[in-house]
Amino acid sequence: MTKNLQEVEPKEEELQQRSRAGDSIAGAASASDKPADHPQAVTRPAARGGFGPPADPSLNLGVIGNCSFSALIDARGRVVWCCLPRFDGEPVFNALLHTGEDASAWAIEIEDFASSKQWYEPNTAVLRTQLFDSAGQGVEITDFAPRFYSRSRYFRPLTMVRRVKPIQGTPRVRVSLAPRFQWGSTPPQITRGSNHIRYVGPDFALRLNTDAPVSHVLSKQPFVLSREHNFVLGADETLMDGIADTARHFEQETIAYWRTWSKRLAIPFEWQDAVIRAAITLKMSLYEDTGAIVAAMTTSIPEAPGSERNWDYRYCWLRDAFFVVRALNSLSEVGTMEDYLRWLANVVIGSHGEHIQPLYGIGLERELPESFVEGLGGYRGMGPVRLGNQAQEHFQHDVYGNIVLGASQAFHDHRLLSRGGVAEFPHLEAVGEQAIRVYGTPDAGMWELRTRARVHTSSALMSWAACDRLAKVARALGLTDRAAYWHGHSSRMREEILAKSWCEERQAFAESFGGHELDASILLMTEVGLIDARDPRFISTVEAMEKSLCDGPYMRRYEAADDFGKPETAFNICTFWRIDALAKIGRKAEARQIFETMLAARNPLGLLSEDTHPVTGEMWGNFPQTYSMVGIINAAVRLSAPWDSCI
């Protein structure tokens, strides 16, 4: 990817703050670990003496959120994406997918823009952006969504706070706040008060409380920024305290929350900043109200340029959510799992032992009909823009294994307040019975193929995993007969999977029973424990995949053409699966090299999308992708030197 963002050394006071906050231990992070929390600079001069056009759309974005909603902010501090009142709601700011004059965004611009820096306050989800003009005058924008413990609950309002202050000279700024409703088709009705502006839509209203001149905000009139101003955008309610006091209090408490949360992570010795940034991003992907975990915060970012592989990922896939929970559990963060298990229990019990969809809405919605959004041009003009996801209609048989894998820890982990027991076990067994029924039958597979059904090895693998884990849970509960029952099914499936998926000609396990083609999901065989990584068949499978699926360090999902042709970009989680496989089979040095490449492929704030172009290195696909952030954590945990090797 062609990057115009360069690392800038933090100021002395920033270094002191990091030291006080325990943000890092000297020598623990590699050079490529820096993008997560180090200031990044971008330079693109505007026309002198005026306000230039906005930055070109890219995925060099920061994300703020509080487990109720999120917003994406570009390198110049422009809010380009924010859906309300939930992750899967309508975008009140849609400029990421629309570049027309009627695009909705929230910009705080500096006149005669020359350069900018952007970084996260260490170990938090608080984003800071500095803008400078050609004379060296500058402003600093602090963005966050309030989250902290208050009144016996987590306070996480649908509120975005922006604090703006001058840091050098007397710069002029322009505030342009232009929300729209109903996917950009409806401008708001606007009313004003002495210190607030109301943006009224058909279904809900937003209120901006600010101590900046309301007239200047409404007219987009440039003004000299002589002191700090605060902007609190949220529900149509008055603030209990003063605007500045509220913004300051929210910032202090939000920083304290995230630093306390990060401090409790059991992180690996190496790549600490990368792991912390990934973990915070995964936490922000939790919709705490119900416990759902979204796969990504965007819709319709194409997997490759002009490919029309544009999907809506703002829902909860049971597969993706399991991997998120597993990654956070590896860092001893079990709170997200507890929230997710609330959501999952509703899915399981509501299924009555029958078919379970691969994804649901974050409020447990079953119907997510796919449609096109008219009027939005798409990311860089590459439509279509989709709402909903047809995959909710699919039969993806790996879902049952992902449910059991996601829930099984609740029966073993003594730290949990609500542990699984004999009363809960029959519900999980009902999922296992469904895994037995669908085992060895054709499905759409984990890659959600729309026009082709096969007996996918990865789906059969997860049916085995369901039976294997149920046997272990039954033993833990002292249910000897049930343990024997589930062990019998898992043993039968294991033998059959290893026999029927093996392709003698390719000397590899194939993507389907009796198949010939290769698929990166087969690497999960060792992840879930079906086969030992040192088994010669698995080693030869890895080698075969490297010849057919890898473009240098990057790995594609599969080699066969799908509904849209052959994939052009590398799927990041597949590259991370390869890293894990290489480490397990004894090629750890190569695994580390590829991991460093993937760390360098992150955007300047340490975030990854779904795909990486193997030639340009540019990020594609929905953003930030939980699968990809999971890969960062898993690889670091797998490859890091132990703490006792250095201290």
Side-chain angles (χ1 to χ4, degrees):
M1 169 175 21
T2 301
K3 297 183 178 180
N4 58 357
L5 298 170
Q6 300 175 347
E7 183 179 313
V8 175
E9 290 300 318
K11 298 178 182 178
E12 181 63 26
E13 60 267 29
E14 291 168 358
L15 290 172
Q16 293 172 355
Q17 289 172 0
R18 294 179 191 184
S19 178
R20 289 193 298 268
D23 182 54
S24 62
I25 295 178
S30 68
S32 60
D33 196 30
K34 293 180 181 179
D37 289 320
H38 282 52
Q40 305 297 318
V42 57
T43 301
R44 182 177 293 181
R48 182 171 179 82
F51 293 87
D56 294 333
S58 80
L59 296 183
N60 284 345
L61 304 170
V63 56
I64 61 171
N66 62 2
C67 303
S68 287
F69 81 105
S70 64
L72 301 182
I73 301 170
D74 73 11
R76 297 193 203 171
R78 183 177 184 234
V79 181
V80 296
W81 186 256
C82 178
C83 295
L84 293 175
R86 313 190 313 188
F87 291 107
D88 56 358
E90 62 183 51
V92 294
F93 300 123
N94 65 22
L96 183 63
L97 297 184
H98 190 53
T99 57
E101 293 183 359
D102 58 345
S104 57
W106 186 0
I108 299 175
E109 306 166 272
I110 190 170
E111 187 175 31
D112 193 19
F113 169 80
S115 64
S116 69
K117 298 178 184 178
Q118 193 172 55
W119 71 98
Y120 278 109
E121 185 67 21
N123 294 2
T124 77
V126 176
L127 185 66
R128 303 201 193 278
T129 307
Q130 291 182 347
L131 307 175
F132 297 94
D133 63 21
S134 61
Q137 300 181 120
V139 303
E140 181 173 291
I141 307 168
T142 296
D143 289 309
F144 63 95
R147 178 176 173 82
F148 50 89
Y149 202 71
S150 176
R151 300 180 182 179
S152 302
R153 64 181 176 88
Y154 283 111
F155 179 66
R156 41 178 172 76
L158 296 176
T159 299
M160 185 188 317
V161 179
R162 312 199 76 184
R163 310 190 69 201
V164 187
K165 66 180 181 181
I167 55 175
Q168 184 70 35
T170 54
R172 281 215 315 172
V173 299
R174 182 174 67 182
V175 179
S176 175
L177 175 54
R180 293 180 73 92
F181 298 93
Q182 297 181 320
W183 286 85
S185 65
T186 304
Q189 294 183 345
I190 298 176
T191 66
R192 61 168 292 175
S194 58
N195 289 100
H196 76 266
I197 305 171
R198 297 174 66 246
Y199 300 88
V200 182
D203 302 315
F204 63 94
L206 295 173
R207 178 188 290 247
L208 174 72
N209 291 286
T210 182
D211 52 12
V214 170
S215 297
H216 293 345
V217 176
L218 286 170
S219 65
K220 302 179 185 179
Q221 169 65 40
F223 62 95
V224 173
L225 187 69
S226 58
R227 64 177 179 86
E228 181 178 80
H229 288 301
N230 299 276
F231 302 84
V232 182
L233 180 69
D236 189 16
E237 302 169 353
T238 58
L239 298 180
M240 298 296 292
D241 295 308
I243 296 169
D245 291 340
T246 298
R248 187 181 307 110
H249 173 68
F250 282 2
E251 180 183 353
Q252 292 171 348
E253 291 297 311
T254 300
I255 288 175
Y257 163 79
W258 285 112
R259 283 184 171 162
T260 300
W261 185 87
S262 300
K263 185 171 62 175
R264 293 171 178 167
L265 298 175
I267 59 176
F269 179 72
E270 295 182 271
W271 306 293
Q272 293 180 41
D273 289 339
V275 170
I276 292 171
R277 181 54 47 206
I280 289 174
T281 305
L282 294 181
K283 184 68 174 180
M284 285 193 287
S285 301
L286 168 71
Y287 183 62
E288 198 167 49
D289 183 56
T290 64
I293 300 171
V294 295
M297 297 173 184
T298 60
T299 177
S300 303
I301 308 297
E303 293 179 11
S307 65
E308 297 190 10
R309 298 173 185 263
N310 301 14
W311 317 115
D312 191 350
Y313 277 8
R314 301 169 303 144
Y315 309 111
C316 186
W317 272 257
L318 279 71
R319 178 190 312 113
D320 302 51
F322 156 65
F323 280 102
V324 170
V325 165
R326 186 182 181 105
L328 290 176
N329 286 352
S330 74
L331 304 179
S332 294
E333 201 285 307
V334 297
T336 301
M337 177 179 69
E338 290 183 295
D339 283 319
Y340 172 64
L341 290 179
R342 286 192 290 113
W343 185 87
L344 186 61
N346 283 292
V347 170
V348 170
I349 295 173
S351 72
H352 305 292
E354 298 180 354
H355 169 66
I356 295 178
Q357 298 175 189
L359 73 153
Y360 292 82
I362 59 179
L364 293 169
E365 295 84 3
R366 299 176 63 89
E367 300 295 327
L368 303 170
E370 190 171 295
S371 61
F372 297 119
V373 179
E374 302 296 335
L376 296 184
Y379 180 70
R380 300 186 186 175
M382 299 177 189
V385 173
R386 282 187 172 91
L387 169 63
N389 199 300
Q390 186 199 19
Q392 55 99 17
E393 302 174 1
H394 289 185
F395 287 83
Q396 297 176 23
H397 298 332
D398 67 315
V399 67
Y400 305 104
N402 287 309
I403 290 172
V404 175
L405 287 168
S408 62
Q409 184 167 335
F411 293 85
H412 300 284
D413 196 330
H414 290 218
R415 296 171 296 173
L416 304 184
L417 296 177
S418 300
R419 292 177 57 197
V422 174
E424 290 77 20
F425 188 55
H427 294 301
L428 206 59
E429 284 195 297
V431 176
E433 293 292 352
Q434 187 69 2
I436 293 172
R437 283 192 287 271
V438 302
Y439 170 79
T441 61
D443 72 338
M446 70 179 300
W447 304 127
E448 304 181 337
L449 301 174
R450 298 189 168 206
T451 59
R452 185 177 70 210
R454 295 177 179 174
V455 180
H456 288 95
T457 303
S458 58
S459 297
L461 170 66
M462 287 301 173
S463 286
W464 168 84
C467 296
D468 178 74
R469 298 320 192 263
L470 283 166
K472 292 175 180 176
V473 170
R475 283 197 293 271
L477 296 175
L479 304 175
T480 306
D481 291 345
R482 300 309 299 164
Y485 172 81
W486 291 111
H487 179 70
H489 280 295
S490 68
S491 296
R492 170 182 62 84
M493 290 180 184
R494 181 179 183 275
E495 292 179 7
E496 189 169 88
I497 292 168
L498 293 176
K500 290 190 174 183
S501 67
W502 178 254
C503 177
E504 186 68 25
E505 179 184 350
R506 302 292 296 271
Q507 286 294 292
F509 293 110
E511 52 86 34
S512 61
F513 282 10
H516 181 268
E517 295 158 349
L518 302 184
D519 185 317
S521 64
I522 303 303
L523 297 176
L524 292 174
M525 280 185 169
T526 60
E527 173 74 15
V528 299
L530 180 81
I531 190 173
D532 188 278
R534 299 299 181 116
D535 188 300
R537 292 170 295 178
F538 183 75
I539 293 175
S540 65
T541 298
V542 173
E543 293 171 346
M545 287 185 181
E546 288 179 318
K547 295 176 182 176
S548 65
L549 295 180
C550 290
D551 300 303
Y554 305 111
M555 183 173 243
R556 285 169 276 113
R557 285 174 286 185
Y558 40 77
E559 58 186 2
D562 60 20
D563 312 323
F564 293 82
K566 289 192 174 183
E568 177 183 344
T569 53
F571 202 71
N572 289 329
I573 191 60
C574 298
T575 303
F576 285 115
W577 290 341
R578 179 192 178 197
I579 290 169
D580 186 68
L582 291 177
K584 287 177 179 176
I585 66 178
R587 295 164 58 184
K588 195 169 183 178
E590 293 175 68
R592 289 178 67 96
Q593 290 176 354
I594 297 171
F595 184 39
E596 291 288 347
T597 299
M598 291 306 298
L599 290 176
R602 297 175 299 163
N603 79 6
L605 292 169
L607 308 180
L608 275 174
S609 65
E610 180 185 50
D611 307 273
T612 300
H613 198 288
V615 177
T616 66
E618 189 171 9
M619 293 193 300
W620 291 91
N622 283 306
F623 176 92
Q625 181 78 3
T626 53
Y627 247 163
S628 300
M629 305 311 290
V630 161
I632 293 172
I633 293 174
N634 290 346
V637 170
R638 172 74 59 187
L639 297 173
S640 173
W643 280 88
D644 60 10
S645 68
C646 302
I647 59 174

